[in-house]
C-alpha cells in the first residue's frame, strides 16, 4: 500500500490558488488497490486543485489504456480510457461523502485521490468487454460455445408445457 501514499494531497499545505498534480498509473496502482474489475493499465491522471472560498474544486482528467478481462475468453485486453471527473472538497468536523462532495476533518486536511481516480476509470470502461472479432483466445471461445445452451436445444419443464397448451387454447 506504500505506493498509494503519493495520491494523498495535503490541502492545507497548498500555497497557490491553483495547483496541478500528475500521476502515472501502472499495473502497481491497480494491484495496490486490490481490485478485480481493472487488472492493470498505462494511464496518466492530471489533477487540478483550485481554492474557491472555503472549498477546493478538483478537476481530474484520466487518459490511457486500461487492462480488463474479456467477457468471452477471460484473457486480458486493453481498452482506451479518457474521462473527466469533478470533486468538491471542504474542510469540516468529520469525514462525510455525498456524491461529488466530500468533507474531510480540518485537523487532517488531506484528501486521498487513489480511490476517486480508480472509480473514474472504472466508470469510463464499458460494461461489456469483448475482443475485436477474431481477437479472442480461440481455445477458450470454442470451449464456451461447447458449454453454452443452444437455442431450442434445452428441455422445457413439463409445467411450462402445460401452460403453453393453456395459452394456445385461450388464443383459439
Amino acid at each position: 500500500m506504500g505506493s498509494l501514499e503519493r495520491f494523498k494531497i495535503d490541502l492545507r499545505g497548498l500555497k497557490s490558488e491553483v495547483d496541478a498534480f500528475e500521476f502515472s498509473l501502472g499495473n502497481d496502482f491497480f494491484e495496490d488497490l486490490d481490485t478485480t474489475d481493472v487488472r492493470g493499465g498505462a494511464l496518466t491522471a492530471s489533477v487540478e486543485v483550485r481554492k474557491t472560498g472555503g472549498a477546493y474544486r478538483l478537476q481530474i482528467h484520466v487518459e490511457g489504456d486500461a487492462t480488463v478481462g474479456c467477457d468471452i475468453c477471460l484473457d486480458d485486453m486493453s481498452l482506451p480510457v479518457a474521462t473527466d471527473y469533478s470533486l468538491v472538497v471542504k474542510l469540516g468536523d468529520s469525514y462525510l461523502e455525498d456524491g461529488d462532495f466530500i468533507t474531510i476533518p480540518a485537523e487532517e486536511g488531506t484528501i486521498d485521490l487513489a480511490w476517486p481516480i480508480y472509480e473514474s476509470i472504472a466508470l469510463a470502461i464499458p460494461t461489456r468487454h469483448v475482443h475485436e472479432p477474431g481477437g479472442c483466445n480461440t481455445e477458450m471461445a470454442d470451449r464456451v460455445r461447447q458449454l453454452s445452451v443452444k437455442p431450442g436445444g434445452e428441455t422445457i419443464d413439463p409445467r411450462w408445457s402445460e401452460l403453453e397448451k393453456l395459452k394456445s387454447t385461450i388464443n383459439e
Side-chain angles (χ1 to χ4, degrees):
M1 284 298 234
S3 71
L4 294 178
E5 286 296 316
R6 63 190 171 110
F7 294 97
K8 292 183 178 179
I9 297 175
D10 182 7
L11 297 174
R12 295 174 303 161
L14 299 178
K15 303 293 182 213
S16 59
E17 193 173 301
V18 178
D19 289 282
F21 302 88
E22 191 161 301
F23 304 102
S24 292
L25 312 173
N27 294 339
D28 59 331
F29 171 73
F30 299 99
E31 289 169 10
D32 288 345
L33 283 176
D34 196 25
T35 64
T36 56
D37 295 337
V38 182
R39 297 178 181 174
L43 300 108
T44 302
S46 304
V47 180
E48 180 183 278
V49 181
R50 181 180 302 270
K51 279 188 202 178
T52 55
Y56 299 86
R57 178 174 278 299
L58 284 72
Q59 264 321 112
I60 302 170
H61 175 76
V62 182
E63 198 164 335
D65 293 309
T67 304
V68 297
C70 175
D71 291 341
I72 295 175
C73 70
L74 306 178
D75 281 359
D76 284 351
M77 61 179 288
S78 183
L79 289 175
V81 172
T83 185
D84 292 299
Y85 180 66
S86 292
L87 190 62
V88 176
V89 180
K90 291 184 351 180
L91 300 178
D93 295 329
S94 62
Y95 184 85
L96 176 67
E97 190 172 339
D98 184 19
D100 294 338
F101 299 97
I102 297 177
T103 303
I104 58 174
E107 66 273 357
E108 185 180 312
T110 303
I111 180 81
D112 184 352
L113 294 177
W115 197 252
I117 289 172
Y118 170 76
E119 285 179 336
S120 69
I121 294 167
L123 291 172
I125 294 173
T127 54
R128 183 159 163 78
H129 330 120
V130 181
H131 283 106
E132 293 292 323
C136 276
N137 175 333
T138 54
E139 183 180 324
M140 182 62 90
D142 289 343
R143 184 75 177 139
V144 168
R145 273 192 289 279
Q146 289 172 356
L147 297 174
S148 296
V149 175
K150 293 163 184 57
E154 65 271 1
T155 59
I156 297 177
D157 185 321
R159 293 172 290 185
W160 290 113
S161 297
E162 292 300 317
L163 287 173
E164 282 298 324
K165 289 178 191 175
L166 180 62
K167 181 179 168 185
S168 56
T169 305
I170 293 171
N171 288 337
E172 291 175 355

